[in-house]
Amino acid sequence: MELFACRASRGFADKVVEALNKVRPEWEPEIHLGLSDVLSFSDGEFQPAFIESVRGANVFILQATFPPAENLMELLLTIDAAKRASADKVIAVIPYFGWARQDRKDKPRVSIGAKLVANLLVAAGADRVMTCDLHADQIQGFFDVPVDHLCASKVFIPYIKSLNIENLSIAAPDMGGAKRAQTYAKHLACPVIICHKSREKANVVASITAIGEVKDRNIIIVDDMIDTAGTLTKAADVLMQMGARSVSACATHGLLSGKAYDNINNSRIKCVMITDTIPLTTDPNVDTSKIKVISMAPVFASIINKVQNYEPISTEFVN
């Protein structure tokens, strides 16, 4: 087994390696992140390269494909380099699968970006894909190679349980998130609230209404991602106006683009829980006091270890 990381996910990869070394048998040598480099040209073109041999190895390449598009391109080029260097198998470990919101034609003359990215990964030489909380479950079917679809509920549910929140309710931010909310509610033994939203255009919410018992409840909104946080903050305002005692949120992927940090800090949201599939900003001028990061690295490490050793992985999923 050889593990490598592209530039956007080096920090996450270090955590995965640390977690892998905790679960490996004592007789196996310590696992290290493989040596790789990226040659950059003055016009912006770049060329990934492996500094060590990968011949005959199972190569795991870690990279989240959040914007800019160079992150996806770097992953594709690295997969291609591994195949051309005679790797036996190449497994693309993608903590956040970008373009997943383009999973269907929701209006005429648009692309299905998720299918295109799936085709690109397979064409580059990926023999297997490992990812987390796809925007739509059916994206797994876009691939002609095995897909390991991890769920952040594996880390979120135990953490929420540890908080011992009274009068807890789980809320879905839209109708599409009802199944995810129901899973959380079942394990937390609490009721579900469904928010219904209508959009004027992408990233702009026109109105939100909530279905369910809200008054005097401590509500956690669960979602797969937070982009501008517009939906989230508007839903929190509506729930508080309906008599909620507090509103928090947990979302797997913290894209947090545009004015997301300001929207969260200026809202009535008590806390936002996200994972480290996308790195949090390191800008010292940005207030992240409302944001709690929970690591998915141990879950990815466990799956990588089991895939490498041909062990069943069904125990890693929360149903």
Side-chain angles (χ1 to χ4, degrees):
M1 178 170 62
E2 297 281 352
L3 276 85
F4 294 88
C6 299
R7 291 174 291 182
S9 293
R10 287 269 165 85
F12 183 76
D14 287 336
K15 296 178 187 177
V16 171
V17 169
E18 182 181 350
L20 271 170
N21 281 314
K22 292 179 181 178
V23 298
R24 68 178 173 84
E26 291 184 1
W27 51 266
E28 284 190 357
E30 187 173 347
I31 298 167
H32 297 281
L33 200 60
L35 299 176
S36 60
D37 195 12
V38 179
L39 172 65
S40 297
F41 300 92
S42 62
D43 65 347
E45 183 181 331
F46 53 88
Q47 182 182 46
F50 295 101
I51 297 175
E52 57 189 81
S53 174
V54 296
R55 184 178 297 274
N58 286 343
V59 177
F60 292 80
I61 302 172
L62 285 80
Q63 173 80 320
T65 55
F66 55 92
E70 280 81 355
N71 290 333
L72 171 61
M73 192 65 189
E74 185 177 342
L75 174 60
L76 295 171
L77 290 170
T78 306
I79 292 170
D80 183 70
K83 295 299 285 189
R84 295 180 188 279
S86 301
D88 182 39
K89 293 285 193 305
V90 178
I91 298 92
V93 182
I94 310 173
Y96 168 70
F97 185 83
W99 284 267
R101 284 173 283 188
Q102 300 180 41
D103 62 305
R104 67 197 186 284
K105 287 188 69 174
D106 55 351
K107 56 185 176 182
R109 298 175 296 280
V110 296
S111 65
I112 304 180
K115 173 59 176 170
L116 174 60
V117 172
N119 289 345
L120 289 170
L121 288 164
V122 175
D127 297 293
R128 190 183 195 100
V129 171
M130 195 176 294
T131 189
C132 178
D133 276 349
L134 291 165
H135 188 64
D137 289 346
Q138 64 266 24
I139 292 174
Q140 297 173 71
F142 292 176
F143 291 89
D144 293 325
V145 296
V147 176
D148 299 312
H149 186 209
L150 285 63
C151 298
S153 54
K154 180 76 174 179
V155 295
F156 277 139
I157 289 175
Y159 179 76
I160 294 171
K161 283 182 178 179
S162 72
L163 299 177
N164 296 316
I165 301 172
E166 295 182 352
N167 298 323
L168 175 65
S169 289
I170 296 295
D174 51 39
M175 303 298 284
K179 181 181 176 182
R180 181 181 294 105
Q182 183 60 44
T183 298
Y184 278 71
K186 180 178 72 173
H187 287 274
L188 295 167
C190 65
V192 176
I193 298 166
I194 305 296
C195 297
H196 174 68
K197 68 182 178 184
S198 59
R199 287 192 183 275
E200 292 180 351
K201 56 183 179 179
N203 293 127
V204 179
V205 178
S207 63
I208 293 181
T209 56
I211 305 167
E213 182 59 43
V214 175
K215 188 173 178 59
D216 293 328
R217 306 297 297 184
N218 290 304
I219 300 170
I220 297 179
I221 303 171
V222 297
D223 207 352
D224 64 312
M225 68 173 69
I226 301 174
D227 192 354
T228 63
T231 298
L232 179 64
T233 53
K234 195 158 190 173
D237 288 341
V238 169
L239 292 170
M240 291 298 289
Q241 289 168 10
M242 293 177 67
R245 189 177 298 176
S246 71
V247 178
S248 299
C250 72
T252 309
H253 310 296
L255 285 164
L256 302 176
S257 66
K259 296 182 178 179
Y261 290 101
D262 290 337
N263 289 340
I264 291 170
N265 291 327
N266 295 330
S267 72
R268 302 173 73 179
I269 292 175
K270 181 180 179 181
C271 174
V272 174
M273 295 165 275
I274 60 173
T275 72
D276 52 356
T277 55
I278 297 173
L280 195 66
T281 181
T282 56
D283 186 347
N285 297 316
V286 175
D287 182 6
T288 60
S289 58
K290 281 190 176 184
I291 299 174
K292 168 70 176 177
V293 180
I294 303 171
S295 182
M296 278 293 292
V299 180
F300 273 92
S302 179
I303 295 290
I304 288 171
N305 183 64
K306 290 183 177 183
V307 167
Q308 171 66 17
N309 294 303
Y310 299 97
E311 297 176 3
I313 63 174
S314 57
T315 56
E316 296 294 328
F317 299 96
V318 175
N319 297 314

